Amino acid sequence: MNPEHSYHFNLLKQTVATTFLQHYSAPNTIEEWKGEDIVAFQEDLFSKVKAKVSEKWFYTYFKNEPEKLPRIDMLNLLSQYVGFNNWHAFKEAHVFSISTKKKNKKQLYWLTALPIIMLIFYSKSLKNEFHFCFVDEIKNEAITKTPLDIKILQNGESPLHFKTDSLGCFKFTTKEKIITFVVQSPYHKTDTIVRSIDSNKNQTVKLAPDDYALMLHYYTNGNIKDWTTHKTQLNNLIADNAKIYQLFANNIGVELYTKDKFIRTLTIPTSSLKSIEILDKRLVNGKIVMLKFIVK
């Protein structure tokens, strides 16, 4: 690869890394990225330019020093990923120039190194890492049995979606000093959280339990002997015109339940009763008007 190609391609790699690091946490240099980092980059690339690079391609051109440039179509896609119309536009914005043969090596070094140094400092400026763990407000225990849905709100951009890990936590790296996100749980009330990086020190967020969801969970998993009372309580809990959906594993279909049919399902002590899991719900005037569940 000649010096001009090497200059532009190395600069493109660093710009790709900087673009990726605006929304994801990974090593500063693209050569250090590993399994999960590469997968996240593949997905981010696809979401922005509707194309993917294979892991083999990534190792050939990003992890190692290639002997020649990638195909022009891949260079165009990567240039679009970092905000340019195509590879030509990217090169036009980063002119390669050496005035004399005597100054060739010295100028080449600075032409290559200076943008990289600037990008590294810029990348470090993006490293405002927020880290949150969620606990049940009543039990004061980490919420780990069911992953929570995290929707990060961004000014002028689509929300980003995450889930909590096995410890009931999630982290997010951004250049912004304030983060706003919505946290949702099948068994806790939806909440909107706003935090500043200045006050963020591995913060613990307490979520209030959703009494309606917990009652349904209790009915499906508890040992309730008084079925008449049980049915009366469920009848008061659910609106008469509620839309109730049973979802099936592997996306094979959906079954619509009436209120009466759903109550019968919850009040007949069958072996599958304890396998019911509430996925989503919506309340209006203190009653459940929409419910989604699955039998595992």
Side-chain angles (χ1 to χ4, degrees), residues 12-30:
L12 178 62
K13 286 201 302 183
Q14 290 295 331
T15 312
V16 165
T18 300
T19 301
F20 178 77
L21 289 169
Q22 291 181 23
H23 302 296
Y24 296 88
S25 178
N28 287 334
T29 55
I30 208 167

Side-chain angles (χ1 to χ4, degrees), residues 61-111:
Y61 290 102
F62 279 178
K63 296 279 283 185
N64 298 303
E65 290 292 335
E67 296 180 358
K68 60 181 182 179
L69 287 172
R71 297 194 319 267
I72 186 64
D73 59 329
M74 292 309 304
L75 291 171
N76 286 337
L77 288 170
L78 292 171
S79 298
Q80 292 169 17
Y81 176 74
V82 299
F84 292 85
N85 289 333
N86 50 43
W87 174 236
H88 177 73
F90 180 84
K91 291 192 297 180
E92 286 290 307
H94 305 88
V95 178
F96 177 86
S97 175
I98 301 178
S99 59
T100 65
K101 184 176 180 180
K102 182 178 180 180
K103 296 180 180 179
N104 180 65
K105 290 184 179 180
K106 185 176 181 180
Q107 287 191 344
L108 177 61
Y109 170 80
W110 284 109
L111 282 169

Side-chain angles (χ1 to χ4, degrees), residues 20 24 33-45 52 55 58:
F20 178 77
Y24 296 88
W33 293 2
K34 296 181 180 178
E36 291 185 0
D37 303 322
I38 296 173
V39 171
F41 168 69
Q42 290 172 319
E43 295 299 326
D44 194 45
L45 180 67
K52 283 189 176 183
E55 188 172 349
F58 188 94

Side-chain angles (χ1 to χ4, degrees), residues 229-244:
T229 303
H230 183 186
K231 290 175 66 174
T232 300
Q233 291 173 329
L234 286 172
N235 188 63
N236 293 332
L237 189 67
I238 304 171
D240 291 338
N241 60 345
K243 296 185 182 298
I244 302 172

Side-chain angles (χ1 to χ4, degrees), residues 198-241:
D198 296 331
S199 63
N200 181 62
K201 296 294 182 183
N202 295 324
Q203 289 193 5
T204 297
V205 178
K206 293 186 176 183
L207 296 183
D210 187 318
D211 295 335
Y212 292 91
L214 290 175
M215 286 173 68
L216 287 173
H217 179 70
Y218 176 66
Y219 291 145
T220 58
N221 293 277
N223 181 20
I224 301 176
K225 296 180 180 180
D226 188 348
W227 296 107
T228 301
T229 303
H230 183 186
K231 290 175 66 174
T232 300
Q233 291 173 329
L234 286 172
N235 188 63
N236 293 332
L237 189 67
I238 304 171
D240 291 338
N241 60 345

